[in-house]
Amino acid sequence: MTESFLVTHTQVLDEAWVSLERPPTDPHSLADGWYGEETLDRYGPGQAAAVMTAVRGAAQRCASYSDALPLGGPATHNTVETKDPGVPADDGLVLRITVTSADDTQPWVIERAFVREGDVLLTVDKLIEQAPVVGVEAVLPAAVAAYRASSSR
């Protein structure tokens, strides 16, 4: 959803992408493990701020929606919550999308954090899972610190 949404609003000048993993502290339980992706997008002057405004507006307009899964899967009901990412930046937002369906007793959760610094947008996605113990905030400070360290060289 977000990739096509972001490209609709403006073209990215540069992009870098990596997978992230935080192994569980208990090797016998995946409860506190973390798996996701990080993307850095550099936009033209003022465009990253416009993208953040568009993302925030879409989250407010689509706080609850239904969707049909591909290949004839069950319909899902999705709710979107927004919160502050908890890291200092020019702008930031965390989307927590809870996906429920008649086939599952536990909801699925997707989290996507956006942090803007100037014309760069850092996006961290926590891949979908049921009943998450830890969220995107478990890796976001480290992702922002790594970006700042690499951009100051």
Side-chain angles (χ1 to χ4, degrees):
M1 171 197 96
T2 303
E3 289 80 9
S4 62
F5 177 82
L6 296 180
V7 171
T8 298
H9 287 81
T10 188
Q11 290 298 315
V12 174
L13 299 177
D14 294 305
E15 182 174 56
W17 169 90
V18 296
S19 292
L20 304 172
E21 178 179 354
R22 185 179 106 179
T25 54
D26 176 0
H28 303 294
S29 169
L30 296 177
D32 66 344
W34 200 98
Y35 307 95
E37 299 171 351
E38 176 182 344
T39 306
L40 285 171
D41 294 319
R42 186 175 62 86
Y43 293 92
Q47 294 301 303
V51 169
M52 284 297 301
T53 298
V55 168
R56 188 172 274 106
Q60 291 170 349
R61 286 187 309 277
C62 302
S64 179
Y65 61 96
S66 295
D67 203 1
L69 295 178
L71 304 175
T76 62
H77 180 72
N78 310 288
T79 55
V80 180
E81 297 173 64
T82 61
K83 62 181 181 177
D84 184 272
V87 294
D90 293 335
D91 195 2
L93 177 69
V94 173
L95 301 179
R96 181 182 175 99
I97 304 166
T98 304
V99 182
T100 58
S101 78
D103 289 359
D104 288 316
T105 57
Q106 283 278 24
W108 292 86
V109 177
I110 304 165
E111 288 186 324
R112 180 165 285 157
F114 300 90
V115 175
R116 182 182 67 81
E117 291 202 346
D119 296 323
V120 174
L121 191 59
L122 169 81
T123 305
V124 177
D125 292 322
K126 180 167 189 199
L127 297 184
I128 196 166
E129 68 178 54
Q130 288 182 303
V133 175
V134 293
V136 72
E137 67 277 356
V139 298
L140 189 59
V144 170
Y147 162 69
R148 288 179 180 151
S150 69
S151 67
S152 66
R153 292 182 194 172

